[in-house]
Amino acid sequence: MREWIVAGNWKMHNTINESIALAKAIKQGLPVVKNGEIIIAPTFTALFSVGEAISGSKILLAAQNMYYEDKGAFTGEISPGMLKDVGCTYVIIGHSERRKYFHEQDNDVNLKVKKALMAGLKPIMCVGETDEERVKGVTQSVVGRQVKEGLNGVEKIDNIVIAYEPIWAIGTGKVATPEQAQEVHFFIRNILKNLYGGSTVDDIRILYGGSVTKDNIGDLIAMKDINGALVGGASLKADAFLGIIRQISGKK
Ligand code: PGA
């Protein structure tokens, strides 16, 4: 069965103590979750403490990035094994901010996805077009390339989550319409079907991300191929994040 996901990407916010407080507030307010997964992705420095704070709950831990080597002279990097060691189940890979500010290319994303899977982590692979690309009408070719190159050489897709995050919608308050998002989600699912065969792909979760709030998620999640949300800004306040979880668990 395909389970929905609500994932909170805390980005470069919160000290350790602030992260613990937020994690505890989410844990306390969590409704009974039957067929879904709740994921939070604090900064690296808060992963251990947040892992302790959420233990015994249904909330799963994710990292926001990783490097594609096991160990060695890579100053400043974190390996997938280290993320497993600290308790991560998921890792966000190829977020548009990584692509934009840290020059990650599809090839880096691909290496990271493969390495995460080898280490037993579940990648949340992010794709999405810029405003300019949407206006030019090349959304599908851009997203299609990101999906295909990101998954190049990946034999089994079961443990992968895809997040469609139009860059023009991230942190802008300009959310995609449910129809715009569904169109791209459907397109992505079809690519996956061509690559991996129909029945496997039915269970793959494709999340929408970009200015998600409790007020707009209801209409998005009603769409057939939208299976959850990757949330930035609204994941930094327990009430706002819990509101999104309640909306989704009530509808899926
Ligand atoms: P936003 O960020 O919800 O603040 O738009 C989403 C994301 O970057 O994952």
Side-chain angles (χ1 to χ4, degrees), residues 63-80:
Q64 299 173 17
N65 181 33
M66 53 163 255
Y67 193 50
Y68 50 75
E69 293 288 347
D70 290 324
K71 60 180 170 187
F74 303 104
T75 302
E77 293 298 327
I78 307 266
S79 75

Side-chain angles (χ1 to χ4, degrees), residues 46-142:
L47 281 171
F48 182 76
S49 314
V50 167
E52 283 189 326
I54 59 176
S55 80
S57 78
K58 292 263 293 182
I59 306 168
L60 299 170
L61 199 60
Q64 299 173 17
N65 181 33
M66 53 163 255
Y67 193 50
Y68 50 75
E69 293 288 347
D70 290 324
K71 60 180 170 187
F74 303 104
T75 302
E77 293 298 327
I78 307 266
S79 75
M82 291 167 185
L83 296 180
K84 279 292 281 183
D85 188 38
V86 79
C88 289
T89 305
Y90 282 93
V91 57
I92 299 171
I93 290 180
H95 189 279
S96 65
E97 287 149 17
R98 301 285 329 159
R99 294 179 191 256
K100 178 174 174 197
Y101 301 120
F102 305 98
H103 316 296
E104 283 190 16
Q105 308 292 320
D106 291 327
N107 185 44
D108 301 301
V109 173
N110 179 243
L111 290 169
K112 290 183 179 192
V113 165
K114 287 194 283 205
K115 203 68 191 191
L117 289 170
M118 276 170 67
L121 288 165
K122 298 180 178 183
I124 302 175
M125 187 179 90
C126 302
V127 298
E129 81 287 2
T130 62
D131 198 13
E132 208 187 337
E133 287 161 345
R134 176 159 283 266
V135 172
K136 265 203 236 152
V138 294
T139 298
Q140 294 200 347
S141 64
V142 170

Side-chain angles (χ1 to χ4, degrees), residues 7-9 11 92 95-97 126 163 165-167 169-174 208-213 230-236:
N9 172 12
K11 307 193 179 180
I92 299 171
H95 189 279
S96 65
E97 287 149 17
C126 302
E165 300 204 300
I167 296 169
I170 296 180
T172 58
K174 209 172 126 193
Y208 169 79
S211 296
V212 167
T213 65
L230 180 54
V231 188
S235 71
L236 294 171

